[in-house]
Amino acid sequence: MALVPFAELVNLFFGAAARTAFCAPQGKQPWNEFVKSERLRVFIWIIVGMFATTFVIFVLWKCLPCCRRRPTPPGGVPHGNLVWLFGHSTLAALTRAVFLIVISLLMVVVLTDLEIWAYNATPERVLNRATVCEAYIQSRRETSVGLCADLEGDGPWYNRPSVNQSAAAFIEFVDANSNETILDYMHETPGFVRGLLTYIRLGVAGMTTSLSKVTSLCLGSLVLVGIFLQPFFSGLFAQVLFIIGPTVLFMLSVGFVRWRVFSPVTAQSLHPFSTQAFDQSNWNNFLFWTYLADVLIVPFYQGIRGTMHRFYSISLQKAYFAKGGDTTWNDIKANMFCPFLILTGTVNDYVRVDDERAIHEISFSSLHTGSDVLGYVRARRPQSL
């Protein structure tokens, strides 16, 4: 549900810059057109400012005497350490915010570069790119209804004097130059990645430009490398498996946002999930029902989130309780044939100032609940086991 609003925000703030780079006129590098975006520059300055703020707070938090953590004396009362806690929580919040913003900017760059890459492997694909851009720009200039996502600076990006995409201009360029010159031009303007990666990407693009196939090829190669090197590097394969999940999620998000940003120009489908090209009216209806579903789900989010926990609890109850029936701590204590039962668990959300770890053990019995670190409270005997 969160991906749809995110895709709409990316298109609203950076869609014009991405489409300007994709439809860069003949002889102009997409990167130069991309960085001209005023919104992108503001976004980059926000990132720089947040990095600087995080660094300054980190230095002050480590150097100022009032920000240092005062340990609890043996048998004494823990200090409040409010200044230390404020610095710790501020750094944690800023670090997460910077990470999310950088990931968002990286996604914009990656999806733009992938789209340019898909249309830059051969002269035929470059011509197709010029054709679809020319048709889109012409249709947008003829319509009287403007889109906020197309605004860049003082007006729509396609009304800039520098944007004059023409398929005929590329045909003249092909007719007037040799294949070597054309390939040199394509190598100079493939997107944002330069050097050796350009030739590797163009080689792969000659076989396929499908995002799912390229991602599967890269992840499969990474898994094979992890398997072969596992005897030499202990834990390498586990680390490879650990990064596959976030990588797949990131690339799926890139694919969806890429479809939202560029499908109005290229009419590409969201393969393999849908064969439909982007349609503004259908998208508006989809946005309405998605936002409505989000609003309705929010009050019940915690309950929906705990569905798997309830399923796990019921499964344990059916597997380990007599006849699958639940019982209480009071029943356990009153039964003279039942041994003194102690269950253990972990607490993940309780961190004191002196604690180095965020996980603490906790025990449950018919008498008390707690641990040496957390303290003990009397057990609620009517509580369900």
Side-chain angles (χ1 to χ4, degrees), residues 12-39:
L12 180 63
F13 287 102
F14 304 106
R19 286 187 282 268
T20 302
F22 178 72
C23 294
Q26 177 66 33
K28 293 189 177 181
Q29 295 190 4
W31 171 256
N32 294 335
E33 299 300 314
F34 187 80
V35 297
K36 291 179 181 179
S37 170
E38 295 181 1
R39 295 172 183 173

mmCIF file of all heavy atoms in Angstrom, residues 12-39:
data_model
loop_
_atom_site.group_PDB
_atom_site.id
_atom_site.type_symbol
_atom_site.label_atom_id
_atom_site.label_comp_id
_atom_site.label_asym_id
_atom_site.label_seq_id
_atom_site.Cartn_x
_atom_site.Cartn_y
_atom_site.Cartn_z
ATOM 1 N N LEU A 12 5.650 13.107 -8.910
ATOM 2 C CA LEU A 12 5.273 14.507 -8.738
ATOM 3 C C LEU A 12 6.496 15.411 -8.625
ATOM 4 O O LEU A 12 6.544 16.488 -9.232
ATOM 5 C CB LEU A 12 4.391 14.656 -7.492
ATOM 6 C CG LEU A 12 3.911 16.072 -7.159
ATOM 7 C CD1 LEU A 12 3.033 16.614 -8.274
ATOM 8 C CD2 LEU A 12 3.171 16.080 -5.837
ATOM 9 N N PHE A 13 7.500 14.974 -7.862
ATOM 10 C CA PHE A 13 8.650 15.837 -7.603
ATOM 11 C C PHE A 13 9.793 15.630 -8.605
ATOM 12 O O PHE A 13 10.529 16.572 -8.901
ATOM 13 C CB PHE A 13 9.173 15.589 -6.187
ATOM 14 C CG PHE A 13 8.278 16.142 -5.120
ATOM 15 C CD1 PHE A 13 7.428 15.320 -4.410
ATOM 16 C CD2 PHE A 13 8.262 17.500 -4.843
ATOM 17 C CE1 PHE A 13 6.594 15.819 -3.430
ATOM 18 C CE2 PHE A 13 7.437 18.022 -3.861
ATOM 19 C CZ PHE A 13 6.591 17.170 -3.152
ATOM 20 N N PHE A 14 9.959 14.412 -9.118
ATOM 21 C CA PHE A 14 11.120 14.131 -9.966
ATOM 22 C C PHE A 14 10.751 13.541 -11.322
ATOM 23 O O PHE A 14 11.631 13.196 -12.098
ATOM 24 C CB PHE A 14 12.081 13.169 -9.247
ATOM 25 C CG PHE A 14 12.520 13.657 -7.909
ATOM 26 C CD1 PHE A 14 12.026 13.088 -6.751
ATOM 27 C CD2 PHE A 14 13.421 14.704 -7.796
ATOM 28 C CE1 PHE A 14 12.423 13.543 -5.507
ATOM 29 C CE2 PHE A 14 13.830 15.164 -6.565
ATOM 30 C CZ PHE A 14 13.328 14.585 -5.410
ATOM 31 N N GLY A 15 9.450 13.397 -11.591
ATOM 32 C CA GLY A 15 9.047 12.837 -12.882
ATOM 33 C C GLY A 15 9.471 13.703 -14.051
ATOM 34 O O GLY A 15 9.916 13.202 -15.092
ATOM 35 N N ALA A 16 9.374 15.025 -13.896
ATOM 36 C CA ALA A 16 9.757 15.928 -14.983
ATOM 37 C C ALA A 16 11.247 15.823 -15.280
ATOM 38 O O ALA A 16 11.663 15.788 -16.450
ATOM 39 C CB ALA A 16 9.390 17.371 -14.619
ATOM 40 N N ALA A 17 12.090 15.754 -14.226
ATOM 41 C CA ALA A 17 13.537 15.629 -14.435
ATOM 42 C C ALA A 17 13.886 14.310 -15.100
ATOM 43 O O ALA A 17 14.745 14.254 -15.992
ATOM 44 C CB ALA A 17 14.272 15.758 -13.096
ATOM 45 N N ALA A 18 13.217 13.223 -14.683
ATOM 46 C CA ALA A 18 13.501 11.916 -15.269
ATOM 47 C C ALA A 18 13.094 11.862 -16.735
ATOM 48 O O ALA A 18 13.833 11.350 -17.589
ATOM 49 C CB ALA A 18 12.778 10.828 -14.472
ATOM 50 N N ARG A 19 11.933 12.415 -17.060
ATOM 51 C CA ARG A 19 11.483 12.403 -18.461
ATOM 52 C C ARG A 19 12.315 13.353 -19.322
ATOM 53 O O ARG A 19 12.537 13.086 -20.516
ATOM 54 C CB ARG A 19 9.999 12.761 -18.528
ATOM 55 C CG ARG A 19 9.089 11.643 -18.047
ATOM 56 C CD ARG A 19 7.630 11.971 -18.281
ATOM 57 N NE ARG A 19 7.116 12.891 -17.277
ATOM 58 C CZ ARG A 19 6.512 12.517 -16.141
ATOM 59 N NH1 ARG A 19 6.385 11.229 -15.875
ATOM 60 N NH2 ARG A 19 6.052 13.408 -15.288
ATOM 61 N N THR A 20 12.794 14.443 -18.722
ATOM 62 C CA THR A 20 13.681 15.337 -19.471
ATOM 63 C C THR A 20 14.979 14.631 -19.825
ATOM 64 O O THR A 20 15.492 14.771 -20.946
ATOM 65 C CB THR A 20 13.982 16.601 -18.644
ATOM 66 O OG1 THR A 20 12.751 17.254 -18.313
ATOM 67 C CG2 THR A 20 14.862 17.562 -19.422
ATOM 68 N N ALA A 21 15.529 13.866 -18.872
ATOM 69 C CA ALA A 21 16.762 13.116 -19.152
ATOM 70 C C ALA A 21 16.523 12.043 -20.203
ATOM 71 O O ALA A 21 17.348 11.833 -21.097
ATOM 72 C CB ALA A 21 17.290 12.498 -17.858
ATOM 73 N N PHE A 22 15.382 11.357 -20.105
ATOM 74 C CA PHE A 22 15.078 10.294 -21.069
ATOM 75 C C PHE A 22 14.894 10.861 -22.470
ATOM 76 O O PHE A 22 15.313 10.246 -23.456
ATOM 77 C CB PHE A 22 13.821 9.558 -20.622
ATOM 78 C CG PHE A 22 13.389 8.472 -21.552
ATOM 79 C CD1 PHE A 22 14.105 7.296 -21.654
ATOM 80 C CD2 PHE A 22 12.258 8.634 -22.342
ATOM 81 C CE1 PHE A 22 13.711 6.285 -22.520
ATOM 82 C CE2 PHE A 22 11.843 7.634 -23.207
ATOM 83 C CZ PHE A 22 12.577 6.460 -23.295
ATOM 84 N N CYS A 23 14.267 12.021 -22.557
ATOM 85 C CA CYS A 23 14.015 12.646 -23.859
ATOM 86 C C CYS A 23 15.034 13.733 -24.178
ATOM 87 O O CYS A 23 14.714 14.723 -24.837
ATOM 88 C CB CYS A 23 12.603 13.236 -23.894
ATOM 89 S SG CYS A 23 11.280 12.001 -23.798
ATOM 90 N N ALA A 24 16.253 13.552 -23.683
ATOM 91 C CA ALA A 24 17.304 14.526 -23.956
ATOM 92 C C ALA A 24 17.505 14.665 -25.460
ATOM 93 O O ALA A 24 17.560 13.674 -26.185
ATOM 94 C CB ALA A 24 18.600 14.098 -23.287
ATOM 95 N N PRO A 25 17.590 15.889 -25.960
ATOM 96 C CA PRO A 25 17.747 16.089 -27.406
ATOM 97 C C PRO A 25 19.042 15.484 -27.926
ATOM 98 O O PRO A 25 19.967 15.184 -27.175
ATOM 99 C CB PRO A 25 17.749 17.622 -27.545
ATOM 100 C CG PRO A 25 17.113 18.126 -26.304
ATOM 101 C CD PRO A 25 17.481 17.146 -25.232
ATOM 102 N N GLN A 26 19.091 15.348 -29.236
ATOM 103 C CA GLN A 26 20.258 14.776 -29.891
ATOM 104 C C GLN A 26 21.515 15.571 -29.566
ATOM 105 O O GLN A 26 21.539 16.797 -29.683
ATOM 106 C CB GLN A 26 20.031 14.766 -31.410
ATOM 107 C CG GLN A 26 21.208 14.255 -32.209
ATOM 108 C CD GLN A 26 21.451 12.796 -31.924
ATOM 109 O OE1 GLN A 26 20.515 12.059 -31.679
ATOM 110 N NE2 GLN A 26 22.695 12.376 -31.963
ATOM 111 N N GLY A 27 22.560 14.873 -29.100
ATOM 112 C CA GLY A 27 23.834 15.501 -28.797
ATOM 113 C C GLY A 27 23.970 16.005 -27.378
ATOM 114 O O GLY A 27 25.027 16.497 -26.999
ATOM 115 N N LYS A 28 22.912 15.912 -26.553
ATOM 116 C CA LYS A 28 22.984 16.344 -25.162
ATOM 117 C C LYS A 28 22.938 15.129 -24.243
ATOM 118 O O LYS A 28 22.138 14.211 -24.458
ATOM 119 C CB LYS A 28 21.836 17.302 -24.827
ATOM 120 C CG LYS A 28 21.927 18.633 -25.553
ATOM 121 C CD LYS A 28 20.903 19.617 -25.026
ATOM 122 C CE LYS A 28 21.057 20.978 -25.709
ATOM 123 N NZ LYS A 28 20.077 21.959 -25.182
ATOM 124 N N GLN A 29 23.779 15.145 -23.225
ATOM 125 C CA GLN A 29 23.857 14.013 -22.328
ATOM 126 C C GLN A 29 22.689 14.042 -21.342
ATOM 127 O O GLN A 29 22.364 15.089 -20.776
ATOM 128 C CB GLN A 29 25.180 14.023 -21.569
ATOM 129 C CG GLN A 29 26.394 13.823 -22.471
ATOM 130 C CD GLN A 29 27.657 13.604 -21.675
ATOM 131 O OE1 GLN A 29 27.622 13.521 -20.450
ATOM 132 N NE2 GLN A 29 28.762 13.508 -22.367
ATOM 133 N N PRO A 30 22.064 12.896 -21.113
ATOM 134 C CA PRO A 30 20.932 12.838 -20.172
ATOM 135 C C PRO A 30 21.294 13.331 -18.782
ATOM 136 O O PRO A 30 20.472 13.949 -18.109
ATOM 137 C CB PRO A 30 20.558 11.355 -20.169
ATOM 138 C CG PRO A 30 21.036 10.834 -21.493
ATOM 139 C CD PRO A 30 22.275 11.613 -21.797
ATOM 140 N N TRP A 31 22.534 13.040 -18.336
ATOM 141 C CA TRP A 31 22.929 13.453 -16.991
ATOM 142 C C TRP A 31 22.876 14.976 -16.849
ATOM 143 O O TRP A 31 22.416 15.487 -15.835
ATOM 144 C CB TRP A 31 24.323 12.940 -16.688
ATOM 145 C CG TRP A 31 24.904 13.495 -15.427
ATOM 146 C CD1 TRP A 31 25.857 14.458 -15.304
ATOM 147 C CD2 TRP A 31 24.548 13.129 -14.093
ATOM 148 N NE1 TRP A 31 26.131 14.710 -13.985
ATOM 149 C CE2 TRP A 31 25.330 13.901 -13.213
ATOM 150 C CE3 TRP A 31 23.640 12.234 -13.541
ATOM 151 C CZ2 TRP A 31 25.243 13.805 -11.834
ATOM 152 C CZ3 TRP A 31 23.554 12.122 -12.163
ATOM 153 C CH2 TRP A 31 24.337 12.902 -11.329
ATOM 154 N N ASN A 32 23.361 15.696 -17.851
ATOM 155 C CA ASN A 32 23.348 17.157 -17.784
ATOM 156 C C ASN A 32 21.929 17.710 -17.719
ATOM 157 O O ASN A 32 21.669 18.702 -17.035
ATOM 158 C CB ASN A 32 24.086 17.745 -18.988
ATOM 159 C CG ASN A 32 25.572 17.422 -18.972
ATOM 160 O OD1 ASN A 32 26.144 17.185 -17.912
ATOM 161 N ND2 ASN A 32 26.184 17.391 -20.141
ATOM 162 N N GLU A 33 21.006 17.067 -18.443
ATOM 163 C CA GLU A 33 19.616 17.507 -18.390
ATOM 164 C C GLU A 33 18.980 17.167 -17.050
ATOM 165 O O GLU A 33 18.151 17.913 -16.544
ATOM 166 C CB GLU A 33 18.826 16.845 -19.531
ATOM 167 C CG GLU A 33 19.321 17.196 -20.920
ATOM 168 C CD GLU A 33 19.235 18.692 -21.182
ATOM 169 O OE1 GLU A 33 18.187 19.285 -20.869
ATOM 170 O OE2 GLU A 33 20.217 19.271 -21.694
ATOM 171 N N PHE A 34 19.388 16.039 -16.472
ATOM 172 C CA PHE A 34 18.799 15.595 -15.214
ATOM 173 C C PHE A 34 19.163 16.531 -14.062
ATOM 174 O O PHE A 34 18.322 16.881 -13.230
ATOM 175 C CB PHE A 34 19.263 14.166 -14.918
ATOM 176 C CG PHE A 34 18.594 13.531 -13.728
ATOM 177 C CD1 PHE A 34 17.326 12.992 -13.839
ATOM 178 C CD2 PHE A 34 19.228 13.480 -12.503
ATOM 179 C CE1 PHE A 34 16.700 12.405 -12.752
ATOM 180 C CE2 PHE A 34 18.615 12.900 -11.405
ATOM 181 C CZ PHE A 34 17.344 12.361 -11.532
ATOM 182 N N VAL A 35 20.431 16.944 -13.992
ATOM 183 C CA VAL A 35 20.893 17.751 -12.858
ATOM 184 C C VAL A 35 20.429 19.199 -12.949
ATOM 185 O O VAL A 35 20.635 19.964 -12.002
ATOM 186 C CB VAL A 35 22.429 17.708 -12.747
ATOM 187 C CG1 VAL A 35 22.909 16.293 -12.468
ATOM 188 C CG2 VAL A 35 23.081 18.259 -14.011
ATOM 189 N N LYS A 36 19.807 19.585 -14.045
ATOM 190 C CA LYS A 36 19.271 20.940 -14.144
ATOM 191 C C LYS A 36 17.987 21.120 -13.340
ATOM 192 O O LYS A 36 17.515 22.241 -13.180
ATOM 193 C CB LYS A 36 19.005 21.297 -15.605
ATOM 194 C CG LYS A 36 20.260 21.455 -16.455
ATOM 195 C CD LYS A 36 19.892 21.774 -17.890
ATOM 196 C CE LYS A 36 21.146 21.917 -18.766
ATOM 197 N NZ LYS A 36 20.791 22.194 -20.178
ATOM 198 N N SER A 37 17.432 20.034 -12.845
ATOM 199 C CA SER A 37 16.181 20.100 -12.096
ATOM 200 C C SER A 37 16.370 20.886 -10.797
ATOM 201 O O SER A 37 17.253 20.590 -9.990
ATOM 202 C CB SER A 37 15.686 18.682 -11.780
ATOM 203 O OG SER A 37 14.609 18.712 -10.883
ATOM 204 N N GLU A 38 15.530 21.905 -10.600
ATOM 205 C CA GLU A 38 15.599 22.703 -9.377
ATOM 206 C C GLU A 38 15.200 21.879 -8.162
ATOM 207 O O GLU A 38 15.779 22.016 -7.075
ATOM 208 C CB GLU A 38 14.688 23.924 -9.506
ATOM 209 C CG GLU A 38 15.126 24.903 -10.601
ATOM 210 C CD GLU A 38 14.207 26.106 -10.685
ATOM 211 O OE1 GLU A 38 13.257 26.169 -9.865
ATOM 212 O OE2 GLU A 38 14.420 26.960 -11.561
ATOM 213 N N ARG A 39 14.211 20.993 -8.327
ATOM 214 C CA ARG A 39 13.786 20.157 -7.211
ATOM 215 C C ARG A 39 14.898 19.190 -6.804
ATOM 216 O O ARG A 39 15.081 18.919 -5.613
ATOM 217 C CB ARG A 39 12.530 19.379 -7.593
ATOM 218 C CG ARG A 39 11.318 20.265 -7.847
ATOM 219 C CD ARG A 39 10.176 19.468 -8.413
ATOM 220 N NE ARG A 39 9.032 20.321 -8.721
ATOM 221 C CZ ARG A 39 7.944 19.899 -9.347
ATOM 222 N NH1 ARG A 39 7.861 18.638 -9.736
ATOM 223 N NH2 ARG A 39 6.961 20.729 -9.583
#
